[in-house]
Amino acid sequence: MAKPSKHMVLSIFMITAGYHYDSWTRPGSRVEELGELGLVKEMAQKAEAAKLDIMFFGDVSSAGKIPGADPTVSGHYEPFTTLSALSQHTKNIGMIGTASTTFYEPYNVARLVAGLDEMSAGRAGWNMVTSSVGHENFGVTEIGSGEHRYRKAAEFADVVTRLWDSWADDAVVADRQRSMWADPERIQALNHKGEFYDVQGPLCMKRPVQGRPIMVQAGSSAAGLEFGAQYADVIYTSQPLKNESVEFTQQFRQTVAKYGRRPQDVKVLPGIVPILGETQAEADEILQDLGNHVNMKTGLYLLENRLEMQLGGLDLDDRIPNEYWAKGPVKQSRSRWGIFRQLGQDEGYTIRDLILEHSRGHGHQWVAGTPSKVADLMIDWFDSGACDGFNLNAPYIMGGFDSICDLLIPELQERGYFRTEYEGTTLRENLGLERPGAWDTQQAAKEAEAQNV
């Protein structure tokens, strides 16, 4: 088989209780260590040894309706303090942290991410999300529609990038003779007055190592993807079916081009949950054991939240009646809701089946098998143009995480679909993305363009 001309982009979700619901109840899960540095330090160093592009920390702004009931949620670690600590224990792997445009301010996020970029020597990124829950913790009474939140997020992202660009790359001169650390002529204020934000600027710290740290958008809604096409370098998406993912990626690249950007500069990474065994029988046994640990009462509650339905009057072995599917979701992602509707309405899944499906993948693709089988699937998607790589979700900790790093990645490396050494020292370099210029180069480009008109 001919070697590919480029390799996959691979990110791993640092979900420390395991991605499969209730996998933390299995022996050896290390759930007692949640929130401690030692656990994520071990995970980060293992991911880096496997040469993964990115370790990704999600975040939540609410303890949930039943606080403490489900440790699978990703709020145990505040992303940027945790990643700053991990930056001192790693050298190459990229570091993506989540910050919501609903609850933060642009200036704060610009500083947080620029600071992480400095601490990590150019490996930082920001996962840009909007929030539909948690507002009660921030004194916010009206969360706004999805369209409103993404319109606000677009202005937020624009301000953040301009703050990063407000210092020229050569602004810091450290001139002892003139007692001048940075040249004020090389630093430019924003004087931004928009619909949602008034930000004078400039940033109170020098330009990030990468110029602009990597920007990530997670989600598959129409408004979210329009936002991602404008600003994101990486897209995390839920795409469990290959043909639909091919279509999604093609349409998304067209949207990227509409904004004057190069489509190949935005990496599309669907989520995948690999349940790995050295044999198929071993993988099937692990899958069965994970299913046996699912708390059906909690699973029903989580499924009801996902589907925005009340299912308490039905038996677990019943199918959800067609009339229940007639009304679409109000708050949740329509794309993931549609996946479960197809399974329940078109493919005959019972409520128990849907609980198990939701427990395994949360709407993402999952696959149980040998490293060779899982690699076959990933390569097929990659070669078919369905994606640029994957966001890997370990089903259980630590064994599922270990299997990804120790079994699956070597299989992809052996076939030439993943690196064996990092190409550069920054995340931008390892993703093959150019470093953008600051305000001065952008201004020069505009002047040159005006002269050519």
Side-chain angles (χ1 to χ4, degrees), residues 56-345:
F56 161 56
F57 276 85
D59 199 22
V60 294
S61 298
S62 170
K65 293 184 178 179
I66 309 176
D70 176 23
T72 309
V73 296
S74 52
H76 308 292
Y77 293 87
E78 192 289 309
F80 290 96
T81 51
T82 304
L83 288 170
S84 292
L86 293 177
S87 72
Q88 305 307 297
H89 298 284
T90 55
K91 294 181 179 179
N92 297 105
I93 192 168
M95 319 181 89
I96 302 293
T98 298
S100 173
T101 61
T102 307
F103 303 130
Y104 280 81
E105 296 290 330
Y107 205 90
N108 289 334
V109 168
R111 292 192 70 205
L112 279 171
V113 185
L116 177 60
D117 207 47
E118 183 69 27
M119 294 299 103
S120 65
R123 295 184 282 133
W126 166 38
N127 180 36
M128 310 175 288
V129 300
T130 70
S131 299
S132 59
V133 297
H135 57 285
E136 64 278 0
N137 296 321
F138 295 87
V140 177
T141 56
E142 179 57 49
I143 204 75
S145 66
E147 185 278 332
H148 172 89
R149 295 197 305 273
Y150 274 113
R151 195 170 74 249
K152 182 179 179 182
E155 184 179 341
F156 192 116
D158 176 64
V159 172
V160 168
T161 56
R162 289 166 58 203
L163 284 168
W164 288 335
D165 292 347
S166 63
W167 287 54
D169 286 314
D170 61 357
V172 177
V173 293
D175 189 332
R176 291 176 172 82
Q177 297 299 320
R178 292 188 293 164
S179 297
M180 180 183 290
W181 180 71
D183 184 351
E185 297 297 321
R186 308 296 290 148
I187 305 169
Q188 187 178 73
L190 271 65
N191 297 317
H192 173 84
K193 292 186 180 297
E195 179 183 0
F196 300 101
Y197 302 105
D198 291 346
V199 182
Q200 177 179 309
L203 198 61
C204 58
M205 53 204 300
K206 65 182 181 180
R207 193 159 194 245
V209 176
Q210 296 181 96
R212 293 180 182 179
I214 295 300
M215 299 171 76
V216 180
Q217 187 265 336
S220 302
S221 69
L225 290 172
E226 198 78 17
F227 169 59
Q230 288 180 266
Y231 296 102
D233 303 296
V234 173
I235 299 293
Y236 288 145
T237 180
S238 175
Q239 299 293 332
L241 302 173
K242 187 182 79 170
N243 290 340
E244 282 79 353
S245 190
V246 171
E247 181 179 356
F248 166 86
T249 300
Q250 291 173 345
Q251 292 178 349
F252 177 71
R253 296 203 194 288
Q254 292 172 5
T255 308
V256 172
K258 181 182 76 173
Y259 288 102
R261 305 179 65 199
R262 298 194 308 173
Q264 66 270 27
D265 284 349
V266 185
K267 312 302 181 183
V268 177
L269 308 183
I272 187 171
V273 186
I275 301 170
L276 293 154
E278 295 192 18
T279 65
Q280 184 64 48
E282 182 183 352
D284 291 339
E285 184 179 341
I286 294 170
L287 177 67
Q288 180 66 45
D289 184 64
L290 288 166
N292 291 341
H293 280 80
V294 172
N295 182 313
M296 285 293 162
K297 182 178 179 180
T298 304
L300 178 62
Y301 164 76
L302 294 169
L303 182 67
E304 287 179 329
N305 278 351
R306 172 70 69 188
L307 300 181
E308 297 182 14
M309 294 180 186
Q310 294 298 316
L311 304 173
L314 301 172
D315 188 82
L316 291 180
D317 293 314
D318 289 339
R319 293 178 57 184
I320 298 176
N322 288 340
E323 57 267 25
Y324 281 50
W325 298 105
K327 184 179 179 181
V330 176
K331 297 180 180 179
Q332 302 289 347
S333 164
R334 285 186 174 271
S335 58
R336 291 195 184 185
W337 184 88
I339 291 164
F340 287 102
R341 181 182 65 180
Q342 180 177 348
L343 294 174
Q345 191 171 29

